[in-house]
Amino acid sequence: MKARNGKVALRAAAAVIAMSLTAGTASAADLVISNWDGYMAKDIAESFKAATGLEIEVVNHATNEEIMGKLMASGGKGYDIVFVSSPFAEVLNAQGLVEPLDKSAIPNLANLYPEAAALAYDPGNAFSVPYTWGTTGLCYRSDKVSGTPDSWMSLLQPADDIKGKTTMLATDRWLMGAGLLAKGYSVNEADPAKINEARDLLIEAKKTLLAYDDTTFYSKLVSGEASLVHAWDGWCNYGISENKDIKFVVPKEGSDLWVDTMVVLKGSENKDNAMKFINFILDAKNHAWAAENILYKVPNKAAMESLPAALGEQYPNMKMPPAELAKYELLRDLGPAQKDYSRAVSEIKAAN
């Protein structure tokens, strides 16, 4: 899954430099946490120490794949808590690398919406805690697009006046997801024939695109270079913050539900402290930081209800009720079908 790093998305170079810090250098800390750059408050170490007396070391990873490679190579050792997206949490659990949560040590789990405790990859939050969640859709300039683009086909077969002014997400799951949803299939589809149907549709759509773009698509909307883009809801908000004519819509065919999670590793020697950190994050004030600063919805009822009303007025998708969000299809681990997705995407990108 492509890391979604909020407003720091374009600071990739800084993230690479930060990766020079390894878990092995953080032996003096009470906890070593791996997370995407910019996904927690900059003063998280200071505020957590003030609350608990514990020292933490935060190590950045650029992508899910990067941290997964390290965890698989080390057998899950070297870190106490990692932030990963739900399909990867699912894999870690299947590999026996995560610790069941001690819920008696995490009373702030009570702050979560009921929907956040009913996610199919981990019903009841047995081994993971959702940190942020959202969906994917169409982000567009309402002053440059006629009407509301309410179908995936609005992107894949755009009107003549916006051909060459559309972008799509390049990451396997979302690129394929748009094609699969447009065909009426699951975002977790495993049937090779259906995957190939979506591939063929996306190859045709490629002829109308400005670019595949996972990081600067909202800037292209702001500048007017693009009129309609494939976007994560939170990232569309970054465009909205700069241009009030930018809008977000979930297509009528539906979309995915993505979740970024916190898990405690079985190899951790600081499991009690790890539970304290998760409880700290789930405090309404602390969890609200993510919603206010990276403009993603958080699955914490108390945190969301504490947000200023003006935030929801400026960014309407922040007000999407959990019950509505939960109607979209949860991204799951694809297992062997992941190879089919990777092959299809390679063929799409290689096509003329």
Side-chain angles (χ1 to χ4, degrees):
M1 183 177 185
K2 176 71 176 179
R4 294 179 302 277
N5 298 329
K7 293 179 180 177
V8 298
L10 303 181
R11 300 200 327 240
V16 171
I17 293 169
M19 282 306 304
S20 65
L21 293 172
T22 67
T25 66
S27 58
D30 296 298
L31 281 174
V32 178
I33 299 164
S34 190
N35 198 354
W36 292 283
D37 184 29
Y39 224 34
M40 295 186 295
K42 289 182 178 179
D43 65 350
I44 189 74
E46 291 83 355
S47 59
F48 183 63
K49 183 176 181 180
T52 65
L54 299 170
E55 298 272 1
I56 64 171
E57 179 75 15
V58 178
V59 182
N60 292 326
H61 55 258
T63 65
N64 281 295
E65 290 79 7
E66 180 182 293
I67 187 61
M68 289 293 287
K70 293 185 176 185
L71 295 176
M72 293 300 178
S74 69
K77 297 191 180 295
Y79 303 89
D80 300 297
I81 296 172
V82 294
F83 286 65
V84 292
S85 301
S86 60
F88 297 88
E90 196 171 356
V91 171
L92 289 173
N93 183 57
Q95 294 290 322
L97 295 180
V98 295
E99 179 73 8
L101 296 177
D102 177 3
K103 295 183 181 180
S104 67
I106 314 174
N108 284 335
L109 282 168
N111 286 338
L112 294 178
Y113 289 107
E115 292 85 354
L119 297 166
Y121 66 89
D122 183 19
N125 307 119
F127 64 85
S128 66
V129 176
Y131 178 65
T132 56
W133 61 0
T135 190
T136 313
L138 303 178
C139 189
Y140 66 101
R141 284 282 296 266
S142 61
D143 58 333
K144 295 182 178 295
V145 175
S146 178
T148 300
D150 63 352
S151 169
W152 286 109
M153 296 307 291
S154 301
L155 175 69
L156 301 181
Q157 294 180 355
D160 288 344
D161 60 341
I162 61 169
K163 284 181 179 177
K165 296 184 178 181
T166 61
T167 71
M168 292 191 70
L169 297 173
T171 309
D172 290 6
R173 293 303 296 272
W174 285 282
L175 178 55
M176 289 303 298
L180 289 163
L181 288 162
K183 299 292 291 186
Y185 301 144
S186 166
V187 294
N188 300 307
E189 184 58 64
D191 181 341
K194 293 179 179 178
I195 292 169
N196 288 343
E197 283 185 52
R199 174 204 62 195
D200 292 346
L201 176 61
L202 292 166
I203 286 174
E204 284 300 307
K206 181 180 180 181
K207 299 172 184 177
T208 68
L209 291 179
L210 170 65
Y212 294 111
D213 187 348
D214 279 2
T215 56
T216 64
F217 51 85
Y218 66 92
S219 297
K220 289 181 171 70
L221 279 183
V222 172
S223 70
E225 184 180 3
S227 299
L228 171 67
V229 302
H230 184 196
W232 298 298
D233 46 3
W235 282 51
C236 188
N237 288 337
Y238 309 147
I240 293 170
S241 70
E242 298 185 45
N243 187 315
K244 63 181 176 55
D245 290 320
I246 294 175
K247 311 291 183 185
F248 179 80
V249 63
V250 177
K252 60 187 178 184
E253 297 92 346
S255 192
D256 66 282
L257 166 58
W258 60 259
V259 185
D260 288 339
T261 74
M262 301 178 279
V263 298
V264 177
L265 294 168
K266 192 170 287 292
S268 168
E269 297 180 358
N270 305 297
K271 294 183 182 71
D272 290 345
N273 292 342
M275 303 299 167
K276 290 178 182 177
F277 180 81
I278 290 175
N279 193 60
F280 178 78
I281 289 292
L282 292 179
D283 176 85
K285 180 179 178 181
N286 297 328
H287 211 172
W289 180 92
E292 289 192 84
N293 290 274
I294 58 178
L295 300 180
Y296 286 1
K297 292 175 280 292
V298 299
N300 186 316
K301 185 175 187 289
M304 292 298 289
E305 289 179 350
S306 74
L307 298 176
L311 193 71
E313 295 304 317
Q314 184 173 6
Y315 308 108
N317 71 63
M318 292 290 288
K319 296 191 292 184
M320 183 182 294
E324 180 181 344
L325 188 60
K327 291 178 181 177
Y328 301 126
E329 192 177 10
L330 183 65
L331 290 172
R332 300 294 302 272
D333 173 37
L334 292 171
Q338 179 60 55
K339 293 181 180 179
D340 293 322
Y341 279 57
S342 297
R343 170 190 52 78
V345 168
S346 294
E347 291 169 357
I348 293 164
K349 292 181 179 177
N352 293 322

